[in-house]
Amino acid sequence: MSPDSSRQRPFVYDAQVDPGEVRHINYEVGETYLGQPVELPVTIINGEHPGPRLFLSAAMHGDEVNGVKVLQEVAGRYDPAKLHGTIVCLHVLNVPGYIAQQRYIPIYDQDMNRAFPGSEHGSTASRMAHVIYDRFVSNCDMGIDFHTSTRNRMTVFHARADMADEGIQRLVDAFGAPLVLSGAGSAKMLRRVATEDGIPTLTIEMGEANRFQPLLIDLALQGVENVLAAYEMYPDATPERTDFRKVLTSTQEKAWIRANNGGLVEMKWGPYPIVEEGETICVISDHFKTEEHAVTAPFTGFLIGILANPRVLPGHPLVHLVEVDDDEREIIESIYDLAGFTRHGTFHWMGKMGDRLSARLLDGPA
């Protein structure tokens, strides 16, 4: 979209959506074994007024559904008569994985997020990526790709983006995520390919697979609202900014802590998702509890990713730890004093916090 255009244009893929129109379509991106179409649900809200074109995408991995709910809400929330620009909602990128409730494209376990910009003559994932990128993403000015952690893990709400890119810096500032992991991303990842093509794109990670977590969804919807306000796309948009932001650029500041032993995991951190250097994060024990292996923190940090499955093998990730200083720690604790882990909508990985909730439930009302 040319910034000095005085009139809004149709959004063109291989059809077109005129200014002031909202269109919900099922767009063919492949075929099943029976030769029936595999169709991507798409909503295009083309505003009456000129402005940027923003794509939103979800379910790149078929079991990551928080973003699916975000896009469902966005698709019905904004009036094209007031919209300056275009919102393109790509509701479920990995349709086969979504149907099978699996992370990857079934049978060959292809990761769609390593297939962009795709090819007309490539693998199944590559062909689907080509259609999505060519018809929709390439016609936009910026994008937000919504993810969750994979199954059996959770992640706190954060953004991943290449903060060396000026366009990305503006988009991240607009969205307002409190934590940003900076990096270009892997080759053929959607956000990397799009950003390198001049379409700044960030990834939002939030929560767990195969479930809706309403408060995280609300945070994502507010982030979209913030972007619409910052880019003057929607006059009624009401931005809300976080008081805390940390951008991580150094590999020394973050680390996955992995199990060296197999067994059952009992989390020992809490009540905040912060551990001191040398503190026990969890204990791995055998079924007889005759062997116990404590896993300690290599540095003082914030747990942004946490195992949700109590069974582990050697090499399984236990927690994703991000280094924090005293000031950042104080802010994080105040945030969790206010909202707690209820925003994640699940309790099974909550360490000592789970004990506190259980005691409250057992004690009954005061």
Side-chain angles (χ1 to χ4, degrees), residues 243-289:
D243 294 330
F244 169 72
R245 193 176 90 166
K246 182 175 178 64
V247 178
L248 298 174
T249 57
S250 169
T251 56
Q252 283 73 47
E253 291 181 297
K254 55 185 182 294
W256 273 104
I257 311 301
R258 296 181 178 272
N260 290 324
N261 308 90
L264 301 176
V265 179
E266 184 177 357
M267 292 293 176
K268 297 296 185 181
W269 56 270
Y272 301 108
I274 293 176
V275 289
E276 297 274 2
E277 180 177 353
E279 182 182 343
T280 297
I281 299 172
C282 63
V283 172
I284 302 173
S285 60
D286 63 11
H287 282 269
F288 309 109
K289 220 169 184 180

Side-chain angles (χ1 to χ4, degrees), residues 215 219 332-344 353:
L215 291 175
L219 286 175
I332 292 167
E333 289 180 356
S334 69
I335 290 170
Y336 281 93
D337 278 336
L338 177 66
F341 283 102
T342 56
R343 72 169 58 252
H344 293 285
M353 190 66 174

Side-chain angles (χ1 to χ4, degrees), residues 12 62 82 93 125 146 160 185 194 207 210 235 237 286 293 305 348 365:
V12 179
K82 298 180 179 180
L93 293 179
F146 291 98
R160 298 186 181 186
N210 285 323
D286 63 11
H293 305 274
H348 56 275

Side-chain angles (χ1 to χ4, degrees), residues 163-177:
M163 294 296 282
D165 183 279
E166 290 184 6
I168 281 289
Q169 290 175 26
R170 183 186 177 195
L171 183 58
V172 169
D173 288 344
F175 188 90

